[in-house]
Amino acid sequence: MTRYLLLFLYSISLLSCKPLFNYTAVDYNGIPKVEPVLSFTEDADKVVYKAQIDLYKKHFSGIVVFKYIPADSATRIVFMSEVGITFFDFQIRNGEFTVINAIAGFDKELIISVFREDFQILLRNPVEGENKIFYKNLTIENSYTYASDFCGFTHDYSYENGKLAEIISKERVKIKKLIKIFGDDAQHPQQLIIEHKNVKLVIQLSRI
Amino acid sequence: MRKILYIAFLLIGHQLVFAQESNYTLVPQNKEIETKINNMANSLNTIQSDFTQQKHMTYLSVTVESKGKFWYQKENKMRWQYTEPYKYTILIKDGKITIDDGGKNSEFKVKGNKIFEQMNEIISASIKGTIMKDERFAVTLYENNAFYMVKLLPKSPEVKEVIAEMFMYFDKTGFSVSKVKMVEKSGDYTLINFSNKKVNDPIPASVFILN
């Protein structure tokens, strides 16, 4: 009985590592151009999202502004209430995260660390990370997965039809976080859904 | 060249804003104005208005604008309904705040949330005309041709942490609130402009119910 159970668990673990079956490793030159989830240019240097945050049974909301400041070579992220009160103001510069300002209640390390990691993932280019493995999906045309180590986790970047569709953050085979990307705008997607699997937390960002 | 133009633009912009604010002159303690504001408040039962809200982030050069409708009914029933560019409603009634965030409802007590509590009291006091005597703020009165501007400096450190100063603009003809400006420590500010105001028109009870 134990042998069958072990065999079953082994099969499940193999299935969760999808690159082993439907994917084949490809050369870096064979992949589509990789950009961060949110990227900025001189003409499109900011994007504003309505945020809906569900933590267990509590619902929170607000407005998130992402703005690239060329003079600082940094992206500022401001989260405020619908009424206009700023909750926090973060900066990410070359991957380095800084808290510019956070009001009482939002200055707790636990809250900051959740947002820090989520925002860093949205703004980083996986190709610039280390230990990249690129796979081509053999069953879906023009679909790729990039496995990239970051913050001690593996991140699978799945592209469908040349467009980033999903990022799966994993610790070994266990999924820690799922980021779903919707909309045709490659620079500023229409909607982002970040589902945390270790806590009951879902962050939904809808472009306004 | 672009940098010079940008700096020039900022300087001119700053001068225009400064000129706008500096049109106001200090009004010494004035019983007559206080009486007018109080009289208006005493005769006021309801207000309905459209509003435009602009959050100005100075350093980022970003302005986030939203629009909606506002209802107030004596005593302390208020509804803020954002309609553009998102749907979001705040209903304050019977000491409770109910929020409808695009169909997701949540409810909490006004007293449990210091910032909401203070903001609610500031708005109520402004509408009721008691703001001039509010001891939680250092209050100064200014005027120009069209408005009385009440400058409020919060005394509570908790409120100061969030709002450094507030300006309420009362129009001189109707003595009702026309604009509210909330300035944060960083210098960023939120300006709410009220328009199409209707005073003392009946408001259906359904306005103060969120399904």
Side-chain angles (χ1 to χ4, degrees):
Chain A
M1 183 63 188
T2 313
R3 190 188 299 167
Y4 287 116
L5 184 65
L6 284 172
L7 191 62
F8 173 73
L9 288 174
Y10 178 66
S11 308
I12 291 291
S13 74
L14 282 182
L15 282 172
S16 64
C17 300
K18 56 186 180 180
L20 290 177
F21 291 106
N22 293 327
Y23 289 75
T24 183
V26 291
D27 183 68
Y28 176 82
N29 296 323
I31 60 170
K33 194 183 174 197
V34 179
E35 297 283 357
V37 177
L38 298 173
S39 58
F40 303 95
T41 56
E42 200 177 325
D43 296 333
D45 60 352
K46 66 172 185 292
V47 62
V48 183
Y49 285 95
K50 173 82 171 70
Q52 293 186 305
I53 301 167
D54 290 290
L55 177 65
Y56 292 95
K57 287 181 179 173
K58 296 267 183 196
H59 179 76
F60 307 93
S61 67
I63 309 295
V64 187
V65 177
F66 294 86
K67 169 81 193 259
Y68 182 70
I69 310 284
D72 300 342
S73 304
T75 305
R76 290 279 283 270
I77 304 144
V78 177
F79 182 44
M80 60 188 171
S81 73
E82 285 82 353
V83 184
I85 292 167
T86 303
F87 294 139
F88 61 66
D89 182 352
F90 297 153
Q91 176 180 279
I92 295 179
R93 184 183 189 181
N94 298 326
E96 195 184 310
F97 181 90
T98 313
V99 178
I100 304 289
N101 180 37
I103 65 165
F106 283 84
D107 53 356
K108 295 184 172 58
E109 181 51 34
L110 186 68
I111 295 173
I112 290 172
S113 66
V114 168
F115 286 116
R116 172 173 50 217
E117 204 182 291
D118 288 354
F119 292 145
Q120 279 177 323
I121 291 172
L122 296 181
L123 292 167
R124 73 185 283 266
N125 189 332
V127 173
E128 287 164 5
E130 291 175 359
N131 302 324
K132 301 172 289 290
I133 309 163
F134 306 107
Y135 294 98
K136 184 179 184 353
N137 191 320
L138 296 173
T139 52
I140 304 170
E141 199 173 340
N142 203 11
S143 177
Y144 297 82
T145 288
Y146 310 143
S148 170
D149 286 356
F150 176 63
C151 285
F153 300 122
T154 305
H155 294 83
D156 288 350
Y157 287 71
S158 294
Y159 283 71
E160 283 174 18
N161 297 318
K163 195 170 70 66
L164 183 60
E166 193 176 71
I167 302 171
I168 303 171
S169 179
K170 290 190 296 193
E171 190 176 28
R172 293 184 186 164
V173 293
K174 193 178 176 190
I175 295 176
K176 306 288 284 182
K177 194 183 301 179
L178 197 63
I179 301 177
K180 295 174 185 168
I181 297 118
F182 301 95
D184 292 329
D185 189 333
Q187 267 189 295
H188 302 142
Q190 199 59 38
Q191 193 177 56
L192 299 163
I193 297 175
I194 306 168
E195 290 175 22
H196 288 252
K197 299 295 182 186
N198 50 347
V199 282
K200 213 171 174 187
L201 169 65
V202 178
I203 300 170
Q204 184 174 309
L205 301 176
S206 306
R207 210 174 101 179
I208 54 175
Chain B
M1 183 62 189
R2 184 173 287 174
K3 204 173 242 179
I4 293 166
L5 282 173
Y6 178 69
I7 292 166
F9 174 77
L10 281 181
L11 286 172
I12 292 164
H14 180 263
Q15 288 302 317
L16 285 174
V17 170
F18 183 74
Q20 236 175 6
E21 297 287 339
S22 63
N23 270 341
Y24 286 88
T25 53
L26 184 69
V27 179
Q29 199 173 11
N30 189 321
K31 284 274 171 213
E32 193 191 340
I33 296 166
E34 278 184 36
T35 309
K36 279 180 180 172
I37 291 176
N38 276 336
N39 288 346
M40 177 280 301
N42 288 334
S43 64
L44 187 143
N45 289 309
T46 66
I47 297 181
Q48 300 173 63
S49 170
D50 296 335
F51 72 86
T52 303
Q53 178 183 301
Q54 287 179 326
K55 163 84 180 207
H56 294 267
M57 285 171 272
T58 320
Y59 183 71
L60 302 189
S61 308
V62 172
T63 301
V64 179
E65 187 173 296
S66 48
K67 289 178 181 179
K69 288 186 175 295
F70 170 79
W71 292 266
Y72 168 83
Q73 185 173 306
K74 230 175 197 171
E75 296 276 334
N76 289 339
K77 279 185 189 172
M78 242 187 287
R79 179 177 176 133
W80 290 88
Q81 185 170 328
Y82 291 83
T83 51
E84 288 176 54
Y86 46 81
K87 308 267 184 257
Y88 182 83
T89 303
I90 307 168
L91 180 69
I92 302 173
K93 190 176 77 169
D94 303 329
K96 273 189 283 186
I97 299 169
T98 312
I99 289 173
D100 178 354
D101 180 29
K104 289 185 175 182
N105 284 21
S106 50
E107 189 179 279
F108 50 95
K109 285 181 184 166
V110 176
K111 281 228 173 289
N113 187 311
K114 282 207 171 81
I115 298 303
F116 248 119
E117 189 179 345
Q118 293 265 325
M119 282 190 57
N120 182 38
E121 285 172 5
I122 290 167
I123 294 164
S124 297
S126 307
I127 293 168
K128 285 192 276 189
T130 55
I131 196 76
M132 302 289 289
K133 292 175 188 162
D134 203 312
E135 289 185 351
R136 290 163 302 178
F137 303 93
V139 183
T140 326
L141 182 67
Y142 298 83
E143 69 175 331
N144 70 2
N145 291 339
F147 297 104
Y148 286 112
M149 180 179 80
V150 179
K151 182 180 175 183
L152 303 163
L153 291 175
K155 291 177 183 171
S156 149
E158 283 156 328
V159 179
K160 256 195 254 183
E161 175 76 12
V162 180
I163 302 166
E165 52 186 13
M166 267 189 92
F167 297 88
M168 317 284 305
Y169 298 81
F170 294 85
D171 69 75
K172 281 188 165 176
T173 46
F175 281 92
S176 59
V177 181
S178 288
K179 288 189 280 185
V180 177
K181 184 178 175 183
M182 293 185 286
V183 185
E184 296 174 59
K185 258 192 328 190
S186 62
D188 291 352
Y189 64 92
T190 303
L191 183 66
I192 305 172
N193 268 297
F194 296 96
S195 59
N196 301 324
K197 275 185 285 181
K198 289 180 194 164
V199 176
N200 288 340
D201 277 14
I203 299 175
S206 59
V207 167
F208 298 107
I209 296 168
L210 270 183
N211 297 317

